[in-house]
Amino acid sequence: MISTEEYKFNLEKKQKKTTQVQPHFKYATDGRISDFKTEVEVWYSEDYFNIKFECKGDDFVNQNIMQIHNAPLYNQEVFEVFISEGEADPKKYLEVEINPNNALWIGWIDNPTLGSETQTLNKMVDPEEAKILHAVQKLKTVGVAPCKYPGSSLAKK
């Protein structure tokens, strides 16, 4: 399992500017910086909130077996994005996960104590019903996944 330090993006709706980062991921088991890098881009288009990431050199890309949406993907390699309004720590946020097999896990999370207690799943989001566009291109140790989330579906639930 690999974790990263916090990266926050402040985007205005309908903003067409792309924000790019190259976060430094660390192994959750011992804190070592991983040998591979991930490039991330986020932006708004006319109708979608867009996320694109490219994981390079990840030896675990081909170890995922889960292929069903909203299965417990977080037990294997996933790319996660947490979406909320404003700059303060959110009491409610949308969590979006995608794995190398193009399976999505999406849920609205309640975080009433801002992380000092367990967060709870408020509602699962069905990717087809929400009209989320997603695709994964999996190469040996590289995963590229653009994901388009309809802006109208980002309203708090």
Side-chain angles (χ1 to χ4, degrees):
M1 177 177 270
I2 297 185
S3 62
T4 184
E5 297 175 22
E6 285 188 36
Y7 286 88
K8 293 184 179 183
F9 302 96
N10 294 316
L11 296 177
E12 297 295 324
K13 286 189 176 182
K14 309 298 183 201
Q15 178 181 353
K16 295 186 180 179
K17 176 183 151 197
T18 298
T19 300
Q20 295 178 310
V21 295
Q22 293 182 8
H24 300 283
F25 290 90
K26 297 179 182 178
Y27 290 96
T29 53
D30 60 13
R32 288 181 300 124
I33 293 177
S34 68
D35 296 331
F36 60 89
K37 71 177 184 176
T38 300
E39 296 174 351
V40 181
E41 297 179 28
V42 293
W43 72 97
Y44 271 106
S45 61
E46 188 64 30
D47 297 314
Y48 289 94
F49 173 71
N50 300 270
I51 305 162
K52 179 182 177 189
F53 69 94
E54 184 171 345
C55 299
K56 298 180 178 184
D58 184 354
D59 295 330
F60 302 107
V61 164
N62 293 308
Q63 293 182 4
N64 283 58
I65 60 169
M66 294 185 184
Q67 299 179 358
I68 307 292
H69 294 314
N70 288 334
L73 304 180
Y74 41 80
N75 288 324
Q76 295 185 331
E77 289 292 296
V78 295
F79 178 82
E80 299 178 296
V81 176
F82 305 93
I83 302 169
S84 66
E85 290 186 62
E87 295 183 31
D89 286 342
K91 291 190 175 188
K92 180 174 224 141
Y93 61 88
L94 181 68
E95 182 171 336
V96 179
E97 301 177 5
I98 189 166
N99 77 2
N101 298 321
N102 200 31
L104 291 168
W105 186 97
I106 303 170
W108 283 99
I109 307 297
D110 287 329
N111 183 27
T113 60
L114 301 178
S116 63
E117 295 178 18
T118 303
Q119 294 88 5
T120 56
L121 175 63
N122 178 293
K123 180 182 178 186
M124 293 299 302
V125 176
D126 180 273
E128 281 83 25
E129 286 180 18
K131 297 182 177 23
I132 297 171
L133 306 176
H134 58 98
V136 172
Q137 179 184 11
K138 187 166 53 169
L139 307 171
K140 285 185 183 177
T141 60
V142 177
V144 179
C147 185
K148 294 184 174 197
Y149 199 93
S152 62
S153 297
L154 290 176
K156 286 187 179 179
K157 302 289 177 189

